[in-house]
């Protein structure tokens, strides 16, 4: 039914990290505060195997640590289209073949910066059409392939699947993606990590807390289109300070009956052409989302009828 991960030594929070009601192999990103002895605790409602891959950690600020620089959500690459800069558009990913993506060629990335790592959202789109599964997608910094395979997302049921990932920048700022099977791939960015400087933010972990649950708002009806009113994070019971300039959410949707895609973005800004997660098959679906903040509220758009649940685990601030 669901899995929850939290800092060891603390009470299990009433939040979920991921769901797999249909029994498929499934991945979800999560930033988890370190608990007692640096450990984390995991709870599952049903018997399951759990695989945990790591791509970084957060430590107290020092001359060696990086800061986070939020960006307006933006689509860096989409292998379905030829309108992107060279290397960021067509063709699709071929089965068993690694492909480099020159991220710095994207217009989403400010000129003159030197990212050390990126905060991405990857979406796998079956190729050539629905019904063609993807056992796993692996992403790594170009020139530094992991010695042992890890998975960034899985799509064994051949639907649209999204998962967030923090990926170090490789040679020339590029990243490399490897699909076990043919697939199209969309890559959205919401920020990057670099040396400390103007506008740089640090991570502040919180006790995992439910910020919003549309099932408990008004008559509890699902919504479609733009959520009205937006999610008021500042005034939620989770105690997130007004100084936060980006939130780390786990977003969960309960489609009625299915959801093409969900997009989250900062209130008062225009809706970006990106997706946060997909649930076209109608199953309960989760994904981590780092969402920049402008006025303490978050907008949501649902291309379909759905309930929305937002749990927060940390935030970025000066």
């Amino acid at each position: 039914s669901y899995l929850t991960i939290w800092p060891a030594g603390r009470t299990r929070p009433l939040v979920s990290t991921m769901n797999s009601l249909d029994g498929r192999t499934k991945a979800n990103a999560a930033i988890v505060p370190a608990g007692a002895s640096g450990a984390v605790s995991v709870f599952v409602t049903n018997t399951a195997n759990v695989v945990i891959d790591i791509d970084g950690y957060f430590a107290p600020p020092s001359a060696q640590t990086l800061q986070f620089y939020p960006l307006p959500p933006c689509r860096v690459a989409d292998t379905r289209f030829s309108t992107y800069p060279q290397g960021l558009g067509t063709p699709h990913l071929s089965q068993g073949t690694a492909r480099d993506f020159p991220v710095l060629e994207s217009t989403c990335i400010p000129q003159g910066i030197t990212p050390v790592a990126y905060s991405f959202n990857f979406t796998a789109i079956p190729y050539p059409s629905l019904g063609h599964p993807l056992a796993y997608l692996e992403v790594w910094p170009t020139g530094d392939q992991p010695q042992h395979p890890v998975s960034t997302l899985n799509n064994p049921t051949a639907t649209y699947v999204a998962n967030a990932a923090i990926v170090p920048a490789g040679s020339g700022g590029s990243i490399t993606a490897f699909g076990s099977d043919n697939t199209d791939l969309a890559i959205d960015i919401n920020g990057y990590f670099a040396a400390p400087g103007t506008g740089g933010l640090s991570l502040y972990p919180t006790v995992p807390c439910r910020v919003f649950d549309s099932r408990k708002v008004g008559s509890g009806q699902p919504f479609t289109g733009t959520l009205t009113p937006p999610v008021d994070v500042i005034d939620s019971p989770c105690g997130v300070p007004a100084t936060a300039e980006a939130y780390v959410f786990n977003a969960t949707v309960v489609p009625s009956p299915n959801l093409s895609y969900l997009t989250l973005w900062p209130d008062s800004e225009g809706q970006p052409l990106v997706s946060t997660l997909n649930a076209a098959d109608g199953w309960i679906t989760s994904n981590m989302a780092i969402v920049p903040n402008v006025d303490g509220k978050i907008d949501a758009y649902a291309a379909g009828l759905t309930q929305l649940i937002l749990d927060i685990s940390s935030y970025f601030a000066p």
Side-chain angles (χ1 to χ4, degrees), residues 41-87:
S41 295
V42 177
F43 170 86
V44 290
T45 56
N46 308 84
T47 302
N49 282 314
V50 178
V51 179
I52 300 176
D53 299 328
I54 192 170
D55 51 28
Y57 62 92
F58 294 87
S62 72
Q64 285 73 44
T65 55
L66 306 175
Q67 288 186 310
F68 179 66
Y69 297 82
L71 293 173
C74 183
R75 180 144 293 178
V76 168
D78 193 329
T79 63
R80 296 172 294 177
F81 303 104
S82 60
T83 52
Y84 286 79
Q86 182 69 30

Side-chain angles (χ1 to χ4, degrees), residues 149-313:
V150 300
S151 68
T152 301
L153 60 77
N154 308 83
N155 189 14
T157 58
T159 184
Y160 286 55
V161 173
N163 199 21
I166 295 175
V167 185
S171 176
S174 298
I175 64 169
T176 300
F178 174 90
S180 60
D181 305 273
N182 291 340
T183 188
D184 272 312
L185 181 66
I187 305 174
D188 299 328
I189 192 169
N190 51 55
Y192 63 93
F193 295 86
T198 303
L201 306 175
S202 296
L203 182 78
Y204 294 84
T206 67
V207 176
C209 179
R210 185 143 292 176
V211 167
F212 178 77
D213 188 338
S214 63
R215 298 171 298 180
K216 298 181 180 180
V217 175
S219 59
Q221 295 299 307
F223 76 99
T224 186
T226 302
L227 180 67
T228 304
V231 177
D232 188 347
V233 180
I234 291 297
D235 294 319
S236 75
C238 297
V240 183
T243 55
E245 296 188 21
Y247 305 120
V248 181
F249 292 124
N250 192 62
T252 302
V253 293
V254 186
S256 302
N258 51 49
L259 173 70
S260 177
Y261 66 90
L262 173 88
T263 300
L264 299 176
W265 73 96
D267 183 52
S268 78
E269 295 189 351
Q271 181 183 340
L273 297 176
V274 302
S275 64
T276 301
L277 58 76
N278 307 77
D281 56 359
W283 287 98
I284 297 174
T285 303
S286 300
N287 195 13
M288 186 183 82
I290 297 178
V291 185
N293 170 46
V294 175
D295 61 5
K297 299 177 182 179
I298 296 300
D299 284 325
Y301 175 85
L305 196 63
T306 188
Q307 301 282 9
L308 172 64
I309 301 148
L310 291 178
D311 298 326
I312 194 168
S313 61

